[in-house]
Amino acid sequence: MIQIRDLTEADVEAVYQLEKKIFKSDAWSKQNLIADSQASHTHYFVAEENQEVVGYAGLSSPPGSFQADINTIAIAESHRRQGIAHQLVERMIHMATRNGAENMFLDVRADNLSAIKLYESFSFDQIDVRKNYYQPAGVDALVMRKRISQPLVMGIETSCDETGVGIVRGNRLISNALNSSMEIHARFGGVVPEVAARAHLEALKPTIDSALSEAGIEISDLDAISVTNGPGLSGALMVGIGAAKAIAVAHDKPLYAVNHLVGHVGADILERGSLQTPSIALLVSGGHTSLLLVRDLLDDVELLGETIDDAAGEAFDKVARVLGLPYPGGPEIDKVAINGNPQAIRFPRGLNLPKDMAEHQYDFSFSGLKTAVARYVEKAEDSSEEVQVADVAASFREAVVDVLISKAVKACIEYDVPRLILGGGVTANARLREVAKLKCDEAGIELRIPKFSLCTDNGAMIASLGAQLVMAGRKPSGLGFGSESTMDVSKVQSL
Amino acid sequence: MILAIDTTAGTTAAVVDKQQVLGFSEFEDRFGHAENIGNAIEQALQQAKVAAADISSVAISRGPASYTGLRVGMAAGIAFATSRSIPLVAVVALDAVATANPVENSEQWMVVSDAKRGEFFSCRYSGVDESGLAIRFSEPEVLKPEQVEKYSDLARVDINSDAKLIGMYAEKAIEAGVDLSDATALYLRSPDVTPSTKKRVTG
């Protein structure tokens, strides 16, 4: 029984022996083999029979290149003509598709007719010839290409106060239409669920229309629809769910119900063309403050911690109100904090004491901080002192940013994850970006902050997560799912 | 051929053509609109043995009704019509009920439905026009129990609206040239919120 699996470090010696036997003087050195098979942008597979490596293949697919190359493929002499190469190629096509490749390339000896036939059976076409490529025999190399049709997916997002409809093709952003009800919420000092839900219904048609016209496509061109079904405000979520289900039925398209928070992580795929894992994700908005460990976007997302009271964005809104600044508070506090001293007042850092570490190492709390700011301001006002708004804003902002970034960086170090993705509306905060950059540079962590239109709630990130599910060959969600306002991050897709 | 959707009570969808109900699907659960809307539409189409492409317009019920459920059906109808580039019409549920249930030999009658909090959505009607549509005597409104009492001598219809009634009303009304283009929800009440005020944390 032949088994195809990922190559591990323990296979390198066996693969090297096969490489030497098959390619003789052209064989790669062991160092080259180790380097290439362990590079972050390659995927090596081995074919194994009775615990013996009888074949291997290597695929290269640099992030954001939208292409994949078959670097090598070899089968032991004794095991040829058994369909092993077929299985390896199939596995590489699957991997290339999942990685967002739109074209797959390979070189093959012009005299290797059985290999050429195999590739042709997978719809590889010859696009070029490299004359006398294989020396010393002087045999030509044929360059072959397979086009991979990545799925065109529309995503619908209505979990809070933004009506988002986005369209992606595989890992590529095609369009991202948005209508926000933020201004209506301003007079209430925060998002009012019923007001948000009403606004979604009114924004639905115009947002769908702009996403389609911006993309220059028809709905019938779509391969799938995806929709946020949690976490979020129930009444708001249901507007998107109703719309998505109707489109799915109206056009007989598969429908994927996906997790809003995981969608935020999926946004980075559209920015760089692929998602690097593992990754720590810090999602901060008016509704969420969550720290995630993403080992695999579709199968292994773990919640390391979250806020136990107010979301970070909510804290900004509330403190802005205390300081007499308008809603939303984030940008307003950012503005006045520029002229303030962040060290002027030492506001408390929530859940940051040694005693908190056992249970709340990666959790956040901003309610106490907000109260501390209010007390400070009230005390000053009561004694008729002038409140130094700039200093209060800067010191408050510093406290929030300090806790957020310290915990995120700590998680990267503890879990040995070399990258941090930021998402959510609070990523617009200038100081958050600044401190994140500084601390990540210090710790040798790669910092990813997608552009703002992909950081705030949007439909494209939901389309992106839907596309990943399609590319991985996952089953659609069917029509029976509902909204789940408190959905767990480990549930990427509702079935 | 009209696809009609109503989520003012349970979740219902119907395919109506020439005042015939070709397909009808109903889910009674008053809290399962989001779960059931897709299956309701699909089943109505299947029962009518028509494809989505055969539908020439969509009629939605715009309430009044419980907000959250109402929006699910409206969102579905708006999205169905938008995605198929076909016309959308919206029907006041009380009008559809009144038209389907005219009270004969009565100068005036009223249609009521539960508005929660002890209140009622209501509209009064007087006669039917030449197209068979109930003629409004009042605007749709929310009545307190004592206001309903004021009309205790009027004949009262408290039948729930459903997609069949919406579809049949829409067909008649379109034919009669009635403007049903206002596809905003008829909530009849403002959201229950008050603008924020600054509160002290210290006493």
Side-chain angles (χ1 to χ4, degrees):
Chain A
M1 184 61 191
I2 299 288
Q3 195 207 344
I4 309 286
R5 58 168 176 78
D6 290 347
L7 175 143
T8 67
E9 215 176 322
D11 297 317
V12 171
E13 182 58 33
V15 167
Y16 175 61
Q17 292 307 327
L18 260 185
E19 170 91 11
K20 270 201 308 194
K21 212 181 279 177
I22 295 167
F23 296 105
K24 304 196 171 71
S25 59
D26 289 339
W28 275 12
S29 70
K30 198 164 164 182
Q31 284 70 27
N32 276 350
L33 205 57
I34 292 172
D36 201 56
S37 63
Q38 291 181 353
S40 64
H41 65 282
T42 63
H43 302 274
Y44 271 72
F45 301 98
V46 296
E48 189 180 54
E49 188 182 51
N50 301 329
Q51 274 140 37
E52 186 198 346
V53 173
V54 297
Y56 58 92
L59 180 78
S60 157
S61 177
S65 68
F66 298 96
Q67 72 173 59
D69 295 88
I70 295 184
N71 282 358
T72 182
I73 178 165
I75 314 293
E77 186 85 49
S78 55
H79 282 75
R80 292 190 186 156
R81 281 165 297 279
Q82 293 176 19
I84 299 174
H86 182 98
Q87 287 185 56
L88 283 167
V89 172
E90 200 169 56
R91 189 66 175 262
M92 287 190 285
I93 291 172
H94 184 260
M95 180 58 82
T97 307
R98 224 194 129 162
N99 283 348
E102 295 167 349
N103 288 291
M104 207 170 159
F105 297 93
L106 60 83
D107 290 347
V108 60
R109 280 177 73 108
D111 59 1
N112 190 346
L113 298 181
S114 63
I116 292 169
K117 213 171 135 195
L118 170 70
Y119 295 133
E120 281 171 348
S121 75
F122 282 106
S123 306
F124 278 90
D125 296 319
Q126 184 192 326
I127 55 163
D128 201 3
V129 182
R130 300 187 209 279
K131 287 281 175 202
N132 302 316
Y133 186 75
Y134 296 100
Q135 292 300 337
V139 178
D140 295 346
L142 306 188
V143 181
M144 300 185 85
R145 174 181 65 192
K146 174 185 172 60
R147 288 188 187 280
I148 297 176
S149 165
Q150 292 290 3
L152 189 64
V153 180
M154 171 190 271
I156 300 178
E157 154 67 35
T158 61
S159 70
C160 191
D161 61 343
E162 320 269 6
T163 311
V165 179
I167 295 169
V168 306
R169 187 185 286 285
N171 290 0
R172 256 183 225 278
L173 175 66
I174 307 287
S175 71
N176 195 11
L178 196 78
N179 272 291
S180 176
S181 61
M182 193 168 68
E183 283 177 20
I184 314 174
H185 301 289
R187 56 190 285 250
F188 305 113
V191 175
V192 181
E194 175 61 21
V195 172
R198 289 185 179 195
H200 283 306
L201 186 66
E202 289 182 15
L204 197 56
K205 183 178 161 52
T207 316
I208 294 173
D209 285 342
S210 356
L212 288 170
S213 68
E214 203 185 303
I217 62 146
E218 307 279 332
I219 286 215
S220 54
D221 300 333
L222 294 172
D223 294 298
I225 320 279
S226 58
V227 63
T228 307
N229 74 319
L233 307 170
S234 296
L237 288 165
M238 286 186 205
V239 174
I241 293 172
K245 286 184 176 179
I247 296 173
V249 173
H251 292 269
D252 196 18
K253 302 289 182 193
L255 176 61
Y256 291 81
V258 303
N259 187 306
H260 173 83
L261 288 173
V262 182
H264 272 298
V265 183
D268 195 44
I269 296 173
L270 302 174
E271 186 87 349
R272 70 152 75 184
S274 75
L275 183 73
Q276 300 292 99
T277 51
S279 191
I280 297 287
L282 174 67
L283 309 178
V284 266
S285 67
H288 305 281
T289 307
S290 308
L291 193 59
L292 316 184
L293 168 55
V294 184
R295 294 190 191 87
D296 183 285
L297 186 71
L298 304 185
D299 294 312
D300 194 350
V301 181
E302 185 186 335
L303 181 70
L304 298 179
E306 62 188 336
T307 180
I308 60 166
D309 41 56
D310 293 348
E314 207 178 343
F316 273 99
D317 294 337
K318 289 178 175 174
V319 166
R321 203 184 314 165
V322 167
L323 295 175
L325 300 169
Y327 172 91
E332 299 295 332
I333 287 182
D334 237 11
K335 246 184 267 167
V336 298
I338 293 175
N339 303 314
N341 172 8
Q343 260 72 51
I345 310 144
R346 176 76 192 175
F347 286 126
R349 270 69 171 155
L351 299 181
N352 225 14
L353 299 172
K355 70 174 170 68
D356 299 319
M357 290 304 112
E359 254 189 84
H360 296 295
Q361 188 177 9
Y362 293 118
D363 285 333
F364 304 95
S365 167
F366 298 108
S367 171
L369 169 60
K370 172 208 70 190
T371 308
V373 175
R375 280 177 193 282
Y376 179 89
V377 171
E378 284 167 17
K379 200 177 150 199
E381 283 170 350
D382 290 350
S383 52
S384 305
E385 284 167 34
E386 194 191 333
V387 178
Q388 301 298 320
V389 174
D391 284 349
V392 175
S395 302
F396 158 75
R397 184 179 69 166
E398 198 66 13
V400 175
V401 168
D402 182 15
V403 178
L404 287 173
I405 300 303
S406 310
K407 293 204 176 197
V409 168
K410 201 161 141 194
C412 287
I413 293 166
E414 184 188 326
Y415 290 92
D416 195 19
V417 172
R419 60 188 72 81
L420 173 64
I421 299 175
L422 301 189
V426 178
T427 54
N429 192 283
R431 183 65 184 152
L432 181 84
R433 300 167 81 97
E434 198 176 66
V435 174
K437 178 87 177 65
L438 202 79
K439 294 274 183 72
C440 283
D441 283 352
E442 250 173 47
I445 296 164
E446 181 195 5
L447 177 66
R448 302 281 313 163
I449 312 177
K451 63 182 169 212
F452 190 59
S453 59
L454 290 173
C455 267
T456 49
D457 291 353
N458 66 89
M461 71 182 198
I462 298 308
S464 176
L465 183 51
Q468 296 304 309
L469 289 165
V470 175
M471 289 151 76
R474 299 300 165 87
K475 274 197 315 223
S477 298
L479 291 174
F481 62 87
S483 69
E484 288 183 47
S485 58
T486 57
M487 187 185 281
D488 198 279
V489 290
S490 60
K491 187 173 178 180
V492 176
Q493 180 193 2
S494 296
L495 288 167
Chain B
M1 194 178 299
I2 293 181
L3 169 70
I5 297 170
D6 182 300
T7 50
T8 53
T11 303
T12 59
V15 176
V16 175
D17 194 31
K18 302 184 185 71
Q19 293 298 301
Q20 299 293 309
V21 178
L22 305 182
F24 178 65
S25 173
E26 175 168 30
F27 291 83
E28 285 181 9
D29 183 358
R30 282 169 181 253
F31 299 98
H33 301 102
E35 286 82 352
N36 296 324
I37 188 69
N39 287 315
I41 298 171
E42 191 172 66
Q43 287 170 19
L45 292 170
Q46 278 168 1
Q47 208 185 85
K49 297 196 172 61
V50 298
D54 299 327
I55 299 297
S56 54
S57 61
V58 175
I60 52 175
S61 169
R62 55 186 289 244
S66 178
Y67 317 145
T68 303
L70 172 67
R71 276 190 293 262
V72 173
M74 292 188 67
I78 290 168
F80 194 103
T82 301
S83 78
R84 293 225 62 95
S85 305
I86 53 177
L88 175 80
V89 296
V91 174
V92 173
L94 301 167
D95 290 346
V97 172
T99 296
N101 302 277
V103 177
E104 308 209 352
N105 310 319
S106 160
E107 201 181 304
Q108 216 190 100
W109 79 95
M110 78 194 290
V111 177
V112 292
S113 70
D114 183 11
K116 305 276 162 63
R117 309 177 203 170
E119 298 178 338
F120 295 88
F121 295 124
S122 160
C123 187
R124 281 169 284 139
Y125 297 87
S126 176
V128 291
D129 65 16
E130 64 276 16
S131 312
L133 304 171
I135 299 167
R136 273 192 207 162
F137 193 77
S138 74
E139 284 303 302
E141 56 193 337
V142 183
L143 297 182
K144 300 197 181 314
E146 59 271 22
Q147 291 173 298
V148 176
E149 208 49 45
K150 217 172 74 188
Y151 301 112
S152 58
D153 51 333
L154 293 192
R156 191 178 301 178
V157 176
D158 61 358
I159 295 166
N160 285 331
S161 168
D162 69 30
K164 285 182 294 205
L165 303 187
I166 297 296
M168 283 159 53
Y169 179 93
E171 210 176 35
K172 277 186 195 166
I174 292 167
E175 215 173 279
V178 178
D179 180 11
L180 298 178
S181 62
D182 182 359
T184 56
L186 192 62
Y187 295 110
L188 295 183
R189 284 196 287 233
S190 298
D192 229 355
V193 282
T194 43
S196 65
T197 48
K198 207 170 126 181
K199 284 187 284 280
R200 284 183 63 97
V201 297
T202 41

